[in-house]
Amino acid sequence: MSANKPLIDLHELKARIESANVYALAKRTGCELAPKLSLELGRNVWLKREDLQDVFSFKIRGATNRIAELTDEERACGVCAASAGNHAQGIATAAAYYNTKAIIFMPVTTPAIKVAAVQSHGAETRLVGDSYDAACEAAITYAQMSGAVFIHPFDEISVIAGQGTVGREILEQMPRTPDAVYIPVGGGGLISGVGAWVKSVSPNTKIIAVEPEGAPTLLTSLEAGQPTTLESVDSFADGVAVKRIGTHTFDVAQRLVDEVICVSNDEICAAVKDVFEATRTVVEPAGALALAGLIKHTRLGQAPEGDSVVILSGANVNFDRIGHIVERAELGAGEEMLFAAAIPEKPGAFLNFCNALGRRAVTEFNYRYTESDTAHVLVGIKTRDLQDREQVTADMATHNISITDLSNDRLAKRHLRHMVGGRTSTSIAEVIYRFEFPERPGALTDFLIALDDRWNISLFHYRNHGNTTGHVLCGFQVPKGDMEALEESLSKTGYPMSEETDSKAYEYFLRA
C-alpha cells in the first residue's frame, strides 16, 4: 500500500462504472460455465466472453464511454490515440458512431490486418516508429498541435470506468458470488475497473492478476511500491505487452489486487488450446492469459476451491501466428517433451533408444552423424502431463541413456528444432548471440547491414512467427582476445541481445 494519498476515490469510480455509457456499441457478453475445464481443474470455471465483442475485445467499452463524454466542441476537434490493436479498433468504432474524426498512430511493426481493421471502421492511421512508445509520443504531439483529444488506452478514469462494466456484468450474471476473478494485466485498465466494482459489491471475492513472465508490469511496480518501467518487454502476448503500468491504474490495483501470477508463453499457448476446445474460438495470447493463470494457480494448489471467473479479453490474433501457438501449446500443457539424448555412436544403440521410448508417440527426431564416440539426438515426444516427463527420464536411465530435458530451453524451442546443418570446425572459436528486432519491412536487412563484417558469421537462424518482434540466432568466429571488440560492434545494431554460447542446447548440437 502506497503511503501517498490515493489518486482515485474508489466510491467515485464505482459510481462512474454504474453510469458508464457503453451499451451503444458494447455487448453484454456471456459468462459461460466451461464443463470440461471445470472437471479437469476440480472447480467451476466460468468464461467471461469479451472475445465476442464486435471488435473482438473489451476495449470497445472504455473507448465508447470516453468518446460518449466528449463535448460538442471536443467532437468537432476529433480524437487521436496510439495503439497497435484493440484500443485502436475501439476508438475507431466509437468515433464513427459519435461522428467525430479519429486518427490512430500505430507502430510500423503493426500487422497489416490490424491496420486494415482500424481503417475499415473509418479512422485514419499513421504508422510511426517501431514501438508503442514512439507512436504514443507522436499522437500526443499531434493532439497538442491540432487540438484533438488524446485518449489513453488505459490510464484515464473514463476508460477505466468503461472497462469496469465487465465486472458489473459478471456479478449480475453469475448464479453465485464467485470466489475469484482472474484478470489479464497490461496497462491495468481492465483490472482496475473490474476490481473496483467486484470488491465494492463482494469484498471477499479474490482479484487475481495474471501477467506474462516477459511483461510483469504490475508485479514489478508492486514490488517497487510505485509504477516502474520495465527495461524490456516480451511482445508475444502483444495485447498486454506494456512497459509501464498506468499511474491511475496502479493506484487502484495496488489497493484491490489480492495476488499476481506470472505465466510463460508456453502456458499461454496451452490456454489458447484449452479455450478453443471449450468454445471452438481461437483467442489471442492476451485473451487466454487469465485462464493460463487459473490453470497454473490450480496446479500449484493455491487456487480458491469455489467458482472462478476467467476473463477472455480478446480474439484479435493474426492467422500466421496460429501455427506458432499450436506448436508451443503442447509444451505448455505438458503434453510434449523436448529433450537431448546422448547415445553411443555404434550399431544397436539406436534400437536400444527406441526400446527405451516404448510406445510413446514421437513428434520429431533430429540426428546427424559425427565422428565421435557419442551421438546427440534431439527428440520430441507426446507426454500425458508435466509429471510424465519425469517418467521418461527414469525409463531412459534404465537403458543407460542420459537425457537433458529441453522443454523449457528457449534456444532449443525457438531455433534449434527448426535448424539444419552440423557443428563448426574445432579449429575456430565461435560465440553465439540471440537478437531481437522489430518485425517490420526491411528490419532483417537493416540488422544484417548493421553487423560489422570484421567477423565471419558461422551460424544464422531466423524464423518469422507473425509477431511484432523478430528473433535471430547468430554465430560469429572470433579470434582470441577479440571478444570486447565484438561486443562493442554488436551493440551498435541497437537491438536487444543475449549471449547463448553457454546454452546446453548449443553445447549438445552445435558446438565443436
Side-chain angles (χ1 to χ4, degrees), residues 266 324 327-328 331 336-340 364 366 377-379 404-419 432 434 461 463 465 473 500 503-510:
D266 287 353
H324 178 58
E327 177 185 293
R328 300 287 284 270
L331 284 170
E336 185 186 27
M337 179 181 184
L338 187 67
F339 65 89
E364 69 177 278
N366 298 284
V377 292
L378 181 66
V379 185
T404 301
D405 189 349
L406 298 177
S407 303
N408 296 315
D409 187 290
R410 180 167 48 189
L411 179 65
K413 292 185 296 185
R414 183 174 285 164
H415 295 286
L416 195 60
R417 69 190 306 183
H418 305 290
M419 293 177 66
I432 302 292
R434 174 175 52 83
H461 180 254
R463 188 164 177 253
H465 292 115
L473 189 68
E500 296 282 0
S503 162
K504 283 291 185 185
Y506 171 68
E507 179 182 340
Y508 287 144
F509 298 102
L510 301 172

Side-chain angles (χ1 to χ4, degrees), residues 441-455:
L444 184 58
T445 301
D446 293 344
F447 171 78
L448 293 171
I449 291 172
L451 292 178
D452 194 323
D453 60 7
R454 173 176 166 184
W455 293 276

Side-chain angles (χ1 to χ4, degrees), residues 103-120:
I103 297 180
I104 311 297
F105 290 79
M106 312 178 83
V108 176
T109 56
T110 305
I113 187 173
K114 293 188 176 182
V115 177
V118 173
Q119 293 171 343
S120 72

Side-chain angles (χ1 to χ4, degrees), residues 87-107:
H87 179 60
Q89 292 186 56
I91 292 293
T93 303
Y97 181 84
Y98 286 105
N99 196 30
T100 185
K101 180 181 179 181
I103 297 180
I104 311 297
F105 290 79
M106 312 178 83

Side-chain angles (χ1 to χ4, degrees), residues 205-489:
T205 296
K206 300 291 186 184
I207 297 297
I208 313 294
V210 188
E211 299 186 289
E213 290 177 351
T217 176
L218 175 58
L219 180 62
T220 301
S221 297
L222 287 172
E223 290 173 346
Q226 60 184 0
T228 303
T229 303
L230 301 176
E231 290 186 8
S232 62
V233 168
D234 184 338
S235 63
F236 176 75
D238 53 346
V240 292
V242 176
K243 275 194 170 185
R244 183 184 177 92
I245 196 168
T247 302
H248 294 89
T249 55
F250 176 73
D251 168 61
V252 175
Q254 69 173 340
R255 288 181 274 161
L256 301 178
V257 172
D258 293 287
E259 191 171 348
V260 181
I261 302 170
C262 292
V263 295
S264 69
N265 290 347
D266 287 353
E267 289 168 330
I268 294 171
C269 291
V272 172
K273 179 185 175 185
D274 287 327
V275 172
F276 177 78
E277 292 180 348
T279 68
R280 295 303 186 265
T281 300
V282 179
V283 296
E284 62 187 282
L289 185 61
L291 178 59
L294 171 58
I295 293 171
K296 185 170 186 175
H297 216 197
T298 302
R299 284 178 177 163
L300 294 172
Q302 299 170 356
E305 293 291 335
D307 294 80
S308 291
V309 178
V310 167
I311 298 177
L312 303 184
S313 60
N316 283 304
V317 61
N318 300 340
F319 184 78
D320 54 3
R321 295 195 69 193
I322 295 175
H324 178 58
I325 292 170
V326 170
E327 177 185 293
R328 300 287 284 270
E330 293 192 331
L331 284 170
E335 295 172 1
E336 185 186 27
M337 179 181 184
L338 187 67
F339 65 89
I343 61 176
E345 190 69 86
K346 65 180 183 181
F350 183 58
L351 177 59
N352 181 54
F353 176 76
C354 291
N355 288 333
L357 281 178
R359 305 297 295 173
R360 298 180 187 276
V362 177
T363 56
E364 69 177 278
F365 192 98
N366 298 284
Y367 162 73
R368 189 169 187 267
Y369 173 77
T370 59
E371 295 179 359
S372 171
D373 294 334
T374 302
H376 285 101
V377 292
L378 181 66
V379 185
I381 61 171
K382 292 279 190 180
T383 49
R384 292 186 299 274
D385 50 38
L386 291 170
Q387 288 69 37
D388 194 27
R389 292 177 181 172
E390 297 177 6
Q391 187 60 49
V392 173
T393 303
D395 290 346
M396 289 291 170
T398 62
H399 286 73
N400 297 315
I401 298 172
S402 173
I403 71 172
T404 301
D405 189 349
L406 298 177
S407 303
N408 296 315
D409 187 290
R410 180 167 48 189
L411 179 65
K413 292 185 296 185
R414 183 174 285 164
H415 295 286
L416 195 60
R417 69 190 306 183
H418 305 290
M419 293 177 66
V420 294
R423 300 172 186 269
T424 187
S425 167
T426 57
S427 63
I428 304 172
E430 182 183 55
V431 291
I432 302 292
Y433 285 84
R434 174 175 52 83
F435 296 88
E436 298 178 11
F437 59 88
E439 191 67 273
R440 55 169 166 72
L444 184 58
T445 301
D446 293 344
F447 171 78
L448 293 171
I449 291 172
L451 292 178
D452 194 323
D453 60 7
R454 173 176 166 184
W455 293 276
N456 184 48
I457 294 177
S458 54
L459 177 151
F460 194 89
H461 180 254
Y462 160 75
R463 188 164 177 253
N464 185 292
H465 292 115
N467 202 350
T468 57
T469 303
H471 299 272
V472 162
L473 189 68
C474 199
F476 301 90
Q477 294 174 338
V478 186
K480 186 175 290 188
D482 233 7
M483 274 299 299
E484 187 175 337
L486 173 67
E487 289 267 357
E488 183 180 348
S489 176

Side-chain angles (χ1 to χ4, degrees), residues 113-130:
I113 187 173
K114 293 188 176 182
V115 177
V118 173
Q119 293 171 343
S120 72
H121 292 295
E124 178 185 336
T125 58
R126 298 187 184 181
L127 304 184
V128 179
D130 291 333

